[in-house]
Amino acid sequence: MKKRKILIRLFSIIIIIIFLFTIQYFIHKKDIKDIENIEIKLNCGYLSPTYTYRFNFLNNSIMHKTEDYDEDETFYTEFTDKNAKYFVKKANLYGFFNWEESYINNGVFDGEWVEISIKFKDGSVHETYCYADFPPNYDKMADVFYEAFGYNIL
């Protein structure tokens, strides 16, 4: 009888946790229609080029810009609605639209940094800055960018 009560309590706690995560997911879930653009700037450390990618969800285009000390290069590519839908689905799953404002490791003096700016159609902007420290699902989102758009961005 005692084991049964413990199992019922444990099962109840698990159900509550699943319910809370489900609510959290749907409260913060974004749709492809909500996003105007995503801009990502990254640098791999001292004397490395700075790469900027702007994903425009209004016209399904990607701007790629490389800024080095003596030369700059910019080119554009396109992506499909299918790619965009896949990206948004996975970004919701990994909490990409809700990453904290900053992830910083002050013990590193020459580390990789990334700036992420997400502009929504309602005019709001969500920004995340990372310096030698990254969100928990950063690597998973790097895979998502590659799978959706064909580029290793994060």
Side-chain angles (χ1 to χ4, degrees), residues 34-85:
D34 299 329
I35 305 164
E36 187 171 315
N37 67 57
I38 298 172
E39 183 170 300
I40 298 173
K41 284 183 140 183
L42 67 114
N43 182 286
C44 294
Y46 184 66
L47 296 178
S48 295
T50 298
Y51 301 97
T52 303
Y53 302 92
R54 184 176 301 124
F55 298 84
N56 187 326
F57 285 81
L58 300 178
N59 66 9
N60 289 10
S61 68
I62 308 171
M63 180 208 64
H64 309 259
K65 184 176 185 180
T66 304
E67 297 171 274
D68 211 343
Y69 290 98
D70 56 352
E71 65 180 270
D72 291 348
E73 179 185 3
T74 302
F75 66 95
Y76 295 85
T77 58
E78 296 178 348
F79 58 89
T80 65
D81 286 337
K82 182 179 178 182
N83 298 127
K85 288 177 185 174

Side-chain angles (χ1 to χ4, degrees), residues 4-22:
R4 186 174 181 197
K5 285 184 180 182
I6 291 172
L7 287 174
I8 290 172
R9 286 183 183 163
L10 184 60
F11 182 73
S12 297
I13 290 170
I14 291 171
I15 294 296
I16 290 170
I17 290 171
I18 291 171
F19 179 72
L20 292 174
F21 277 116
T22 304

Side-chain angles (χ1 to χ4, degrees), residues 131-152:
Y131 178 76
D133 190 25
F134 302 92
N137 288 326
Y138 186 85
D139 291 337
K140 290 179 182 176
M141 277 307 301
D143 292 341
V144 171
F145 273 101
Y146 184 76
E147 292 163 3
F149 306 114
Y151 294 95
N152 187 5

